[in-house]
Amino acid sequence: MQQINFDNGIQEFVVNGSGKLRFNPEDPNVYDRFLNVADKLQEIEKTMEEKGKALGENDIAGSLRLLAEADRQIKETLSWVFGKDNDFDEIVGGVNLMTVTGNGERVITNLLSALTPILEKGAKKCAEQQIGDAVKQAQTNRAQRRAQK
């Protein structure tokens, strides 16, 4: 079988020393999906809160099932953002993303906080490149118009 290989900008990031996350931080599609992830996470959290209210206060098993369901949905959402080849259960070592950590934040909050500067830097680089290309094209067009006179 023949192969086609080209640079697609994919980079690999080691997460907490073990998990590997692969995506192109300069891909505007990834950045756009990343910007929408907060709304999707709020929807998941709201649904879990509503379902949690229906449970009795002492239904620990039911609460744990809801947290597991939210974790699964969040990991699916992250795979949608960063690509289906990224297994977020493996990337975070099986940790439930709804777990509250030592800093008082959920694992998902800490993960998104760590990814934000990487994606913002990639989006900025992409935008600057697009602007640079547009300027070069305008200069070329101007030079061609002048040459025609």
Side-chain angles (χ1 to χ4, degrees):
M1 178 185 318
Q2 295 181 6
Q3 291 188 22
I4 298 175
N5 296 308
F6 61 93
D7 181 3
N8 60 3
I10 299 284
Q11 295 180 27
E12 189 170 284
F13 299 86
V14 177
V15 178
N16 287 344
S18 61
K20 291 183 180 144
L21 174 60
R22 298 182 74 237
F23 68 98
N24 180 345
E26 296 177 28
D27 183 340
N29 292 340
V30 172
Y31 190 66
D32 182 58
R33 291 188 300 264
F34 184 76
L35 292 177
N36 291 309
V37 79
D39 292 337
K40 291 188 177 290
L41 295 178
Q42 285 178 346
E43 289 174 22
I44 293 168
E45 198 168 64
K46 182 178 177 183
T47 301
M48 293 304 119
E49 285 176 14
E50 291 170 1
K51 289 181 177 182
K53 289 177 185 175
L55 297 175
E57 284 186 27
N58 296 323
D59 189 353
I60 303 298
S63 295
L64 292 175
R65 280 192 300 275
L66 283 178
L67 288 171
E69 181 182 338
D71 178 62
R72 181 187 53 75
Q73 290 178 8
I74 292 169
K75 287 173 181 170
E76 286 175 4
T77 300
L78 292 173
S79 289
W80 168 73
V81 171
F82 294 101
K84 299 205 181 302
D85 291 340
N86 290 300
D87 180 347
F88 277 87
D89 199 48
E90 185 178 309
I91 290 169
V92 298
V95 172
N96 186 307
L97 295 175
M98 295 295 284
T99 302
V100 176
T101 64
N103 69 357
E105 298 290 344
R106 292 182 185 208
V107 173
I108 183 60
T109 303
N110 292 337
L111 176 61
L112 295 177
S113 293
L115 289 167
T116 297
I118 294 167
L119 287 158
E120 287 177 346
K121 181 180 176 184
K124 182 179 178 187
K125 187 173 179 182
C126 177
E128 288 171 351
Q129 185 176 23
Q130 295 297 325
I131 291 168
D133 290 347
V135 168
K136 286 178 189 174
Q137 184 62 48
Q139 290 170 339
T140 300
N141 291 346
R142 208 171 17 254
Q144 288 174 347
R145 283 193 306 273
R146 287 182 185 144
Q148 291 175 354
K149 289 183 182 180

